Amino acid sequence: MSDAPALLPVEEARARILGLCTPLSAEWVPMDDALGRALAEDVLARRTLPPWDNSAMDGYAVRAADLSGPLPVRLTVGETVFAGKLPVREVVPGTCARIMTGAPLPSGADAVVMRERTRAVPREQAPDAVDIVDIHDAPGPGQFIRPRGEDAREGDVLLRRGTPLGIPELGLLWAQGMASVPVPRRPRVAVLSTGDELCRVDEPPGGRIVDTNAPTLALAVRRAGGVPTLLGIARDTREAVQEALARTDGFDVVLTSAGVSVGDHDFVKDALEALGVEQHFWRVAIKPGKPLVVGKRGAALFLGLPGNPTSSLVTFELFVRPALRRLLGLEDVEPARVSGRLEGRLSKAPGLAHFVRVTATWRAGELWAKPLGTQTSGALRSATAATHLLHFPREHSSLTDGSHVELIPLSWVA
Ligand code: AMP
Ligand code: MG
């Protein structure tokens, strides 16, 4: 019997990791580096926007009270207001202004009638060469007016700390005249491969295999918003792993791959311990990815990922990406989930939650998830066609054809 501690359920493991992460210090970055990051502080509106009531339509700015009787009502056109110009004449009873979308509303007007509900009266019927228009609409006050301050009022909290900056949020800040925003800085992430069987891509293999974990994890780090640094490959000795890990000062997160199982050459846990990394847990009740080890030293988070290429990517998705997003100040960092139906059948022994690579396609109003032919975690190929991970819960042993299932969209797809 093993005396290893009980395996942690996936949700608890993620919660514990997130408990070790707090947003990093703030920096001001240009807008185009802020996309996908979170605000580090509340942002107050510096400008009232729109700065004036303005028209939502091309048409005529009118006084609604002029149009309460029988239609049409004939009005004199005082001026034409274009977007980018300020009106100069008040709209007095019996008059209106021709107005374009986005142009400021002239004083006196309290509604806009769209051009399609009007008919300009030909010049020859207008005795003083004044423009005349017949209005075929009885607007309520405020019709087609975009009120001043609808987007922002000076001094109001425009966006709160923690707000994820998507494209419209950045547009809103841009409209305030902001060219940079405060966000937590990007996590610096060291990536170390371990294993005597590994070589770099530019080395003759000589019986070894190319290290794929480090470069793929580095891409995943970048996609999650972090800044990866490759530390190379450590040989399978305690000293080599320890020596490599000793070069991680200044990093927020250290990712290793392989050497965390119970093999004779699995030295990562020992090396972390020798470096004074406090181990928070080892092993999660999942497949692939069971041997994950998690520790902390100072502010730095150490995550020892399993060596099988697919296992390292799956654990990245389930644990590392949420951690990086939390360091980036984002609050909602749980993996996204969508519901779907299983195409085919699945079975397993209870005890571990399985995260099955599936290709999901939309058919007849539902997302159908088809497990890929091979699920071996050693084969990266089994990950290449996957669009989602299907969560096959720990306590279940079978899922029948058509079962309703929880799917996690993968961040690693093209
Ligand atoms: P280990 O956890 O060290 O037993 O490694 C598990 C499996 O993952 C072995 O088949 C390793 O050869 C493979 N592996 C470990 N590290 C890498 C890597 N960086 N790139 C590709 N395969 C790896
Ligand atoms: Mg190994």
Side-chain angles (χ1 to χ4, degrees):
M1 277 298 287
S2 152
D3 59 359
L7 304 182
L8 278 185
V10 57
E11 295 78 13
E12 190 180 337
R14 186 159 50 236
R16 288 222 210 163
I17 292 171
L18 293 177
L20 300 172
C21 300
T22 44
L24 298 171
S25 56
E27 61 180 1
W28 284 78
V29 301
M31 291 300 206
D32 58 4
D33 193 25
L35 186 60
R37 298 167 76 172
L39 273 180
E41 45 188 79
D42 292 354
V43 172
L44 304 187
R46 307 164 178 191
R47 301 178 182 181
T48 295
L49 288 177
W52 5 251
D53 291 350
N54 69 95
S55 178
M57 289 284 168
D58 295 324
Y60 292 86
V62 298
R63 301 171 72 98
D66 279 353
L67 301 166
S68 54
L71 297 176
V73 172
R74 184 161 288 193
L75 298 175
T76 304
V77 182
E79 66 174 323
T80 299
V81 196
F82 292 97
K85 293 276 183 291
L86 290 175
V88 293
R89 297 173 76 150
E90 191 180 343
V91 173
V92 295
T95 72
C96 63
R98 188 179 293 118
I99 195 163
M100 308 299 148
T101 304
L105 199 74
S107 65
D110 61 2
V112 169
V113 174
M114 64 204 286
R115 179 172 278 183
E116 292 84 336
R117 307 292 301 273
T118 68
R119 202 180 62 84
V121 178
R123 282 286 175 130
E124 50 279 18
Q125 294 179 30
D128 306 321
V130 183
D131 277 349
I132 305 281
V133 63
D134 284 338
I135 309 283
H136 295 260
D137 189 20
Q143 171 175 286
F144 298 135
I145 293 174
R146 299 192 287 218
R148 168 184 150 83
E150 190 177 35
D151 248 350
R153 287 188 174 274
E154 190 184 337
D156 280 0
V157 176
L158 194 60
L159 295 174
R160 297 220 170 263
R161 186 167 83 111
T163 303
L165 295 170
I167 292 169
E169 286 78 11
L170 289 171
L172 195 64
L173 298 178
W174 199 268
Q176 289 290 319
M178 295 176 71
S180 60
V181 280
V183 292
R185 65 176 175 77
R186 294 186 181 280
R188 293 188 276 265
V189 184
V191 183
L192 176 70
S193 291
T194 71
D196 283 339
E197 74 279 36
L198 304 177
C199 66
R200 294 195 317 263
V201 69
D202 56 354
E203 286 179 310
R208 295 173 300 177
I209 58 169
V210 171
D211 164 21
T212 51
N213 289 353
T216 53
L217 288 171
L219 291 172
V221 165
R222 203 181 293 285
R223 190 162 268 194
V227 181
T229 298
L230 298 182
L231 296 184
I233 301 165
R235 298 291 142 213
D236 275 327
T237 67
R238 190 178 324 231
E239 296 72 29
V241 177
Q242 201 174 321
E243 193 268 324
L245 287 176
R247 291 184 276 118
T248 58
D249 283 354
F251 288 99
D252 305 299
V253 178
V254 179
L255 297 182
T256 65
S257 66
V260 282
S261 284
V262 290
D264 291 345
H265 280 174
D266 288 345
F267 290 122
V268 169
K269 282 169 62 239
D270 294 351
L272 290 174
E273 194 181 332
L275 278 165
V277 174
E278 186 194 349
Q279 187 181 306
H280 281 265
F281 65 84
W282 175 45
R283 309 215 296 175
V284 186
I286 57 169
K287 182 180 176 182
K290 185 170 82 170
L292 178 77
V293 62
V294 174
K296 195 146 190 204
R297 187 180 63 171
L301 181 66
F302 287 75
L303 294 146
L305 309 185
N308 281 315
T310 299
S311 307
S312 71
L313 284 180
V314 168
T315 48
F316 183 94
E317 205 72 5
L318 297 178
F319 305 108
V320 186
R321 187 177 149 83
L324 296 179
R325 290 168 59 73
R326 177 55 56 78
L327 294 172
L328 281 160
L330 294 156
E331 279 152 21
D332 183 12
V333 299
E334 289 287 314
R337 291 171 176 90
V338 293
S339 64
R341 308 279 302 274
L342 172 62
E343 182 180 339
R345 256 171 289 149
L346 287 172
S347 60
K348 67 169 175 65
L352 300 180
H354 283 205
F355 288 89
V356 181
R357 276 90 75 196
V358 299
T359 305
T361 44
W362 187 257
R363 279 203 312 276
E366 290 183 293
L367 194 58
W368 285 91
K370 189 178 164 68
L372 296 170
T374 170
Q375 292 289 331
T376 75
S377 47
L380 205 44
R381 188 156 196 168
S382 68
T384 56
T387 58
H388 296 71
L389 294 176
L390 181 155
H391 182 191
F392 189 169
R394 195 158 56 109
E395 62 280 10
H396 292 202
S397 55
S398 69
L399 289 174
T400 51
D401 197 2
S403 298
H404 290 270
V405 289
E406 174 189 307
L407 302 173
I408 300 175
L410 286 164
S411 79
W412 72 52
V413 296

